[in-house]
Amino acid sequence: MSQRDHHQLPVHEVVLLLETDEQLGLPDEEVRRRLDQFGPNVLPHLRRHSPLVRFLLQFHHPLIWILTLAGVVTAVLGEIVDASVIFGVVVVNSVIGFVQESKAEAALDALVAMVRTEARVIRDGAKEVIPSSDLVPGDVVVLDAGVKVPADLRFVSTSELHVDESALTGESVPVTKHPLHLPAETLLADRMNMAWSGTLVTRGSGVGIVVATGADTELGEIHRLVGAAADIATPLTRKINTFSKVLTVVIVGLAAVAFVIGTLRGESAKDMFTAAVALAVGAIPEGLPAAVTITLAIGSARMARRHAIIRRLPAVETLGSTTVICSDKTGTLTQNQMTVTHIWVDNETFTATGAGYQPTGDILDKAGRPVVAATGGLRDVLTVGALCNDAHISDSNNGWEPVGDPTEAALVVAARKGGFDVEHNPWRRVDVVPFESDRQWMATLDVHHGQAQVLAANVKGSEAVVALCDRQRRVDGTDRPIDIDGVLAAANILASQGLRVIACATRPAPNGTRTLTDADVASGGFVLVGLQAMQDPPRPEAATAVAACQRAGIEVKMITGDHGATARTIATQLGLADSDSLVMTGADLTACPDTDLPDVAEATTVFARVAPEQKLRLVEALQARGHVVAMTGDGVNDAPAIKQANIGIAMGQVGTEVAKEAADMVLADDNFATIEAAVEEGRGVFANLTKFIIWTLPTNIGEGLVLLAAIAAGTTLPILPVQILWINMTTAVALGLMLAFEPKESHVMDQPPRDPNRPLLTGTLISRIALVSGLLLASAWWLFTWELDRGASTAQARTVAINVFVAIETVYLFNCRSLTRSMFQIGLFSNPWVTAGVAVQILLQAAFTYLPVMNRLFHTAPIPPAAWARITVIAVATYILVGTEKWLRNRRTTTNRKEP
C-alpha cells in the first residue's frame, strides 16, 4: 500500500502496517534501524549546476555571441576603449542573469527550511523532544496548538484539533481533524484524519503516527514538482533568440559578400577582410542588450510604484504577453478574512456591510436601512455569536487581525457592527463545553454582570444546533414554535451561495447553576435566535480588475483548493462565471485524460478542490494550447505551478516564502487589481522595446549597405569602422535609450494580447526599417560624393556622412515614439528624456565635428554651415516621408476595419 493511502485504514490497521505501538511508540533500536533505512526527515537537495557553470551558461546566447564577436573585432582593429565598452555590456548582462537565476533557486531552499523544527514524540513509552529530522515512519507524535506538523501523520486520537492547511491545500479556514478512517477516493484536502508536514495546529491537541517523512511527504512531492518544473522561455526571450540568429546569418552573409566582391575586383584580401570586418561592426546593434536590460529595469521600477515587485526582469515583458491568468482564490481574489455577510432571524434576512476584521460597516434591514442598535432577535443572535466564542480581534500595525479561529473572529466583528460592546459587555463566562467535530457545536454558560441571578446557556455551531431547539425567536424578540423545515431551508439557501452557516441558540439557566455539560446541552429546550452566514469576501477591486483583463482579451481562471460551491459563488460575484457555470473539481481532473485536458482547461473557468500537482498539470495544459500563462498564489501548494508558469505571481503580505521565491513577481499589496496594472505596464514595456529595435536596426543596416555599396563600387569607404562605433554607441545611449522612458500609450489595454507566435518584426515594421535604411544609404552616399565632387577632403566628406546618419536617427526617433501616431498626437514634450537626449547628442556631434582632439581620434574635420543646411533638409524630408508612410498605413488599416 502507498504511504498516501493510510487515510482509508482504521487506526489499528495503520498500527499493524507500520509495526508500531500507539501507546509506547518505537523502541530506540528500531528507530535507528528505520533512520538508516528511510534516511533523515529532510527534503533532499536537487542536483544543480555549480555557480561557475551557471555563470558560463549566461554567455550561451546568440546575441551574446554577436556582441562578443563585435568586441573581438573592435579589439583587433585597435579600438581598445570601444571593445571594453562592448565586453562590459556582455559581462553586465551575464551577471544580471546569474544573480536572478540564483534567487530563483532559493525556492527549493525555502521548502527545505519549512520542515526544520522540533517534534514531541513517544518512544519506549516516554515523551521526549527531538529534532524533526530524526523522525521515522512509525514514530508517535504529539501535537498541541501552535505546533508545526513535522511529518505526514495519521491521527490516532484528537481533541478539538484544528489545523491550518491553507498553505498546502488552499482551504480558507482551519480544518477540524478526527481519527476515523475515510473512503479511499477522499481528496487530499478532505482527509480529516491526516496531518501534513509544514502545516500548523491552531487549536486543540492530537496524537498521530508518522506515515511519511522527507521526500515521501506531500510537502516532499511539492518539492519534487518545484524542482522538476522547467524554466519557461519568455516571449521576449524567444523572439530575441530568433531575431539574433537571423541577424547573425545576415551579418555573416553581408561580410562574406563584401569580401568576395572586393577580392573579385582585384583588391587585396587583407584590405577586404578589414572592410568586411567594418561592415560586420556596423551591422551589429551593440546597444540592443543594454536597451533590453534598461527598458525592463525601468518597467520594473514603474511596476514597483504600483505595488508589483519584479524578481526577474524578463517577467516585466512577459506580463504584457499574458493570455491567461490562473488565479488562486483565497487571499488573491478574496481578502482571506472571514466576514459575516447575512444574518437570518425568523424568515427575515439582514445584510452586513464592510469586509474583513476591521469592525466598520453596518447591518442593513430588508429595506436597506442601517440598524443603529440591534434589538430583539437580531440583538440576540449577535450576542450569542459574541459570547459563545473564544476569539477576539486586535488592532495592530498591520491593521485589524483575528486572534483565534477566523470563523469566531467574524462573529465578533458582526456583533460590533450591530452595536454589541464586545470588550465591555455585562456578560461573564461561567463554564464552557468546547466544540467537537462529532457533535458540531460549542456551548457556554454566561452570567449577567450586576444581575447575578440571570444566567444563559448559549450554543453555536452547524445545523445540528437546530435539533436542540423547540422554539425560535422572532425579530421583535418574542418566541414561537420552531419551524424546522423553514430553518433548514433558509440554511440551505445560504449554503448554496457558498456561505458558511452558523446557527445560534440560547436558553435561560436555573439560578445558581455554575456548570454546563454535554448532557445539559443535549437535553434541548433551546430557542433558535438565528443564523449567521459568512464567507471570505472578494476584494472590492478584484471585479473591476477582472473585467479590465477580460476587455484586454486575457482569460481569468480561478484555481483553488476550496469547496466548489464557495468557488462558484466568488467567481459569480467577480464576473468570472454565473450560477450555472461548470465547476471542475480535483476528482474530475484526476479522471480527465491528458489528451483531453488542454481542451477542458481552455473551456473551464472555475476549478475547485484542486491538488498541487493538478495546478501544475493545468498550467502545462494551457501552455500546450499556446497560452502565455500567469499563475497567482500564496501557498506552498501553489509553488510548483507558479514556477512552471510563464509568469509566476506570489502574494507579498500573506504569501509563504516558498511561493515568493518561486515567483517572478510579488504583489506587495496582495491585490489582484495590481496584476491588471502590471499587465498594462508590461505591454508598455514591450512596445518600448519594439520601438527601440525599429529605431536602431535601420542605422545598422544602413551602415552595412553604405559599406557594401562602396566595396561593390570600388570607391573609398564613406564611413570608417571607428566612426561606425561612434555612431552606434553615442546614439544608442543618448537617443535610443530615451525610448525606454516613453509613457505607455492610452490604448494599450484596448487590444488583445500579442500572439506568442507572432515574430518580433511584422511585415509593416520590416517595410519601415527597409524604407529608413534605404534613405540612410541614399542620403549618406549622395552627400559623401557631393562633398568630394566639390573639393572637400575625404575627412570632411566622411564627417558629413556621419552627421547625416545621426541627424536622420534623431528625427526618426520622434517617428518611433509611437508606431502608429505622430509625435504631435502623443505630445511633443510628453517624454522630456527624448528632448534631453537630443540635446546631448547635438553637443556630442558638435564636439565630434569641431574639437581637434576628436578630429584626430576619429579622423573627422570641421564642416561649413552649408553642409549642415543640406543635412537638415534631408533629415526633415526623412521625417515627413516616414510620417506619411505611417499615416497612409493607419488610414488603410482603419478603412479595412470599417469594411463589412
Side-chain angles (χ1 to χ4, degrees):
M1 172 175 288
S2 167
Q3 75 270 9
R4 304 188 191 282
D5 298 329
H6 293 91
H7 65 278
Q8 62 179 297
L9 299 177
V11 170
H12 70 274
E13 291 189 25
V14 175
V15 172
L16 290 173
L17 182 66
L18 293 172
E19 299 179 2
T20 186
D21 187 312
E22 70 270 31
Q23 300 296 328
L24 303 177
L26 295 171
D28 291 338
E29 182 178 346
E30 179 63 15
V31 168
R32 287 191 292 271
R33 189 189 69 78
R34 295 190 185 191
L35 195 58
D36 290 337
Q37 177 184 353
F38 295 102
N41 178 35
V42 295
L43 297 179
H45 290 282
L46 300 180
R47 294 183 61 184
R48 306 178 186 176
H49 291 300
S50 68
L52 177 61
V53 172
R54 284 192 287 114
F55 179 71
L56 293 177
L57 286 174
Q58 306 303 319
F59 295 88
H60 186 60
H61 189 283
L63 197 58
I64 298 299
W65 301 342
I66 296 175
L67 283 173
T68 303
L69 175 62
V72 171
V73 168
T74 307
V76 170
L77 292 174
E79 302 299 328
I80 303 302
V81 174
D82 297 313
S84 300
V85 171
I86 296 174
F87 285 132
V89 170
V90 172
V91 172
V92 167
N93 276 276
S94 299
V95 168
I96 291 174
F98 173 77
V99 171
Q100 291 168 345
E101 185 176 316
S102 299
K103 289 182 178 179
E105 293 192 349
L108 300 178
D109 296 330
L111 274 169
V112 173
M114 282 197 65
V115 294
R116 291 173 182 163
T117 183
E118 292 184 333
R120 289 179 61 201
V121 299
I122 300 175
R123 287 179 175 173
D124 273 335
K127 291 184 179 180
E128 55 182 296
V129 178
I130 65 170
S132 62
S133 58
D134 291 344
L135 285 174
V136 296
D139 258 326
V140 178
V141 175
V142 179
L143 297 178
D144 293 300
V147 170
K148 184 181 290 185
V149 178
D152 285 1
L153 308 178
R154 169 65 165 88
F155 284 115
V156 172
S157 63
T158 61
S159 176
E160 308 301 326
L161 185 64
H162 291 68
V163 180
D164 180 358
E165 298 180 343
S166 59
L168 184 70
T169 66
E171 181 68 60
S172 54
V173 296
V175 179
T176 304
K177 296 296 183 178
H178 63 72
L180 303 177
H181 65 282
L182 298 167
E185 64 275 11
T186 305
L187 297 176
L188 183 142
D190 296 323
R191 295 178 186 174
M192 306 304 182
N193 56 9
M194 302 287 295
W196 313 110
S197 177
T199 58
L200 182 68
V201 177
T202 61
R203 190 168 74 184
S205 60
V207 177
I209 298 175
V210 175
V211 298
T213 59
D216 293 329
T217 63
E218 290 297 327
L219 188 63
E221 175 65 9
I222 292 176
H223 177 267
R224 185 191 65 76
L225 293 174
V226 172
D231 291 325
I232 303 299
T234 70
L236 177 66
T237 302
R238 293 195 297 268
K239 288 178 172 64
I240 290 293
N241 284 342
T242 302
F243 172 72
S244 300
K245 292 174 182 176
V246 172
L247 190 60
T248 300
V249 173
V250 171
I251 291 172
V252 173
L254 283 176
V257 168
F259 181 81
V260 171
I261 290 176
T263 52
L264 290 178
R265 292 181 58 86
E267 302 290 341
S268 70
K270 180 181 178 181
D271 291 342
M272 286 303 95
F273 179 77
T274 302
V277 166
L279 190 152
V281 170
I284 294 172
E286 294 91 344
L288 181 56
V292 170
T293 300
I294 292 173
T295 303
L296 292 176
I298 292 171
S300 176
R302 287 177 174 175
M303 290 181 183
R305 289 194 291 270
R306 302 183 74 170
H307 308 294
I309 310 302
I310 298 298
R311 297 188 64 252
R312 300 178 181 90
L313 282 182
V316 175
E317 182 277 330
T318 309
L319 277 164
S321 307
T322 299
T323 59
V324 175
I325 298 176
C326 295
S327 177
D328 187 33
K329 177 187 72 67
T330 304
T332 309
L333 291 168
T334 65
Q335 300 184 38
N336 198 21
Q337 297 182 336
M338 294 300 291
T339 304
V340 172
T341 57
H342 296 79
I343 304 168
W344 181 91
V345 180
D346 191 35
N347 295 323
E348 183 170 337
T349 302
F350 297 83
T351 303
T353 65
Y357 301 116
Q358 183 172 355
T360 57
D362 297 307
I363 295 179
L364 309 178
D365 62 18
K366 60 183 179 181
R369 298 183 298 264
V371 176
V372 178
T375 59
L378 177 61
R379 174 199 60 210
D380 294 340
V381 70
L382 294 174
T383 300
V384 171
L387 296 179
C388 191
N389 197 312
D390 289 327
H392 66 277
I393 55 174
S394 173
D395 188 8
S396 66
N397 293 332
N398 296 323
W400 288 89
E401 296 179 337
V403 179
D405 187 89
T407 298
E408 293 190 328
L411 296 174
V412 171
V413 174
R416 292 185 60 157
K417 291 177 182 177
F420 184 81
D421 191 340
V422 177
E423 287 78 16
H424 304 97
N425 73 83
W427 292 94
R428 295 294 179 267
R429 180 177 298 182
V430 177
D431 199 6
V432 61
V433 179
F435 178 89
E436 284 191 5
S437 57
D438 57 347
R439 62 175 179 242
Q440 292 293 305
W441 50 257
M442 168 190 180
T444 60
L445 179 64
D446 299 279
V447 61
H448 195 285
H449 183 65
Q451 302 178 26
Q453 299 306 310
V454 178
L455 289 146
N458 300 304
V459 60
K460 79 169 194 315
S462 70
E463 295 170 9
V465 171
V466 179
L468 303 175
C469 303
D470 53 24
R471 290 167 296 156
Q472 69 185 74
R473 188 146 296 169
R474 297 186 178 97
V475 175
D476 63 6
T478 61
D479 297 343
R480 70 178 179 89
I482 190 168
D483 176 10
I484 292 181
D485 291 339
V487 173
L488 295 179
N492 288 335
I493 291 173
L494 293 169
S496 68
Q497 300 173 25
L499 301 175
R500 185 175 189 181
V501 181
I502 303 296
C504 299
T506 188
R507 76 178 183 196
N511 292 342
T513 302
R514 285 294 180 267
T515 60
L516 188 67
T517 66
D518 290 20
D520 292 335
V521 178
S523 65
F526 283 85
V527 178
L528 181 78
V529 291
L531 307 174
Q532 296 196 53
M534 63 186 68
Q535 69 171 357
D536 178 13
R539 291 181 174 275
E541 309 88 348
T544 302
V546 166
C549 289
Q550 291 171 333
R551 285 196 305 272
I554 302 170
E555 298 178 42
V556 180
K557 298 180 184 294
M558 178 191 292
I559 304 177
T560 178
D562 219 334
H563 292 278
T566 304
R568 179 188 280 112
T569 299
I570 297 298
T572 301
Q573 294 173 351
L574 292 172
L576 286 173
D578 55 44
S579 58
D580 298 323
S581 295
L582 171 68
V583 175
M584 193 169 192
T585 65
D588 298 328
L589 289 172
T590 299
C592 183
D594 289 340
T595 53
D596 297 340
L597 188 57
D599 291 335
V600 171
E602 180 93 34
T604 307
T605 301
V606 182
F607 300 86
R609 305 308 268 172
V610 176
E613 62 273 13
Q614 292 173 329
K615 292 185 179 185
L616 176 61
R617 192 171 167 228
L618 281 171
V619 170
E620 292 173 334
L622 290 168
Q623 289 171 335
R625 289 295 297 262
H627 284 292
V628 177
V629 181
M631 174 68 192
T632 75
D634 58 359
V636 177
N637 62 320
D638 299 319
I642 285 175
K643 189 169 185 288
Q644 173 66 32
N646 302 85
I647 171 74
I649 306 171
M651 302 299 107
Q653 294 180 356
V654 300
T656 61
E657 288 304 311
V658 177
K660 294 175 188 177
E661 292 294 344
D664 302 290
M665 183 176 82
V666 176
L667 302 184
D669 57 358
D670 285 10
N671 196 332
F672 183 86
T674 302
I675 300 175
E676 185 267 333
V679 168
E680 183 179 2
E681 294 292 347
R683 290 188 173 190
V685 165
F686 187 87
N688 288 348
L689 284 172
T690 303
K691 293 169 187 177
F692 178 86
I693 293 172
I694 297 306
W695 173 82
T696 193
L697 283 186
T699 301
N700 299 110
I701 295 174
E703 290 166 344
L705 290 176
V706 166
L707 294 174
L708 187 61
I711 293 171
T715 63
T716 304
L717 294 179
I719 310 176
L720 297 175
V722 68
Q723 296 167 342
I724 290 174
L725 285 171
W726 167 267
I727 296 172
N728 291 353
M729 299 308 292
T730 59
T731 58
V733 174
L735 300 179
L737 289 182
M738 300 304 106
L739 291 173
F741 298 93
E742 194 66 34
K744 57 186 176 294
E745 298 184 49
S746 59
H747 62 281
V748 70
M749 287 299 283
D750 296 331
Q751 303 169 351
R754 295 185 308 278
D755 182 353
N757 298 318
R758 191 175 74 177
L760 192 62
L761 300 179
T762 62
T764 298
L765 298 180
I766 291 174
S767 63
R768 188 170 300 167
I769 291 171
L771 171 63
V772 179
S773 299
L775 290 172
L776 282 167
L777 167 63
S779 301
W781 186 268
W782 177 68
L783 281 182
F784 178 73
T785 55
W786 172 283
E787 297 296 332
L788 289 179
D789 291 344
R790 279 154 183 76
S793 66
T794 302
Q796 286 179 312
R798 283 174 172 160
T799 304
V800 170
I802 293 164
N803 279 302
V804 78
F805 258 93
V806 174
I808 290 177
E809 280 193 84
T810 302
V811 297
Y812 182 49
L813 180 72
F814 290 98
N815 286 115
C816 290
R817 289 188 57 203
S818 172
L819 299 180
T820 58
R821 298 187 294 171
S822 73
M823 65 177 179
F824 302 105
Q825 290 175 303
I826 63 175
L828 184 59
F829 300 107
S830 58
N831 183 358
W833 290 95
V834 168
T835 305
V838 170
V840 169
Q841 188 65 52
I842 289 173
L843 293 176
L844 288 173
Q845 286 308 115
F848 177 82
T849 304
Y850 294 107
L851 288 182
V853 63
M854 300 296 281
N855 296 154
R856 289 194 301 273
L857 288 174
F858 292 98
H859 313 290
T860 57
I863 57 177
W868 285 111
R870 290 187 286 273
I871 292 171
T872 302
V873 169
I874 289 176
V876 172
T878 299
Y879 177 84
I880 294 173
L881 282 172
V882 175
T884 302
E885 181 266 348
K886 188 191 302 184
W887 178 76
L888 289 173
R889 285 188 181 276
N890 289 341
R891 184 180 180 186
R892 184 167 60 196
T893 300
T894 303
T895 301
N896 292 338
R897 287 175 181 169
K898 290 181 180 179
E899 292 178 356

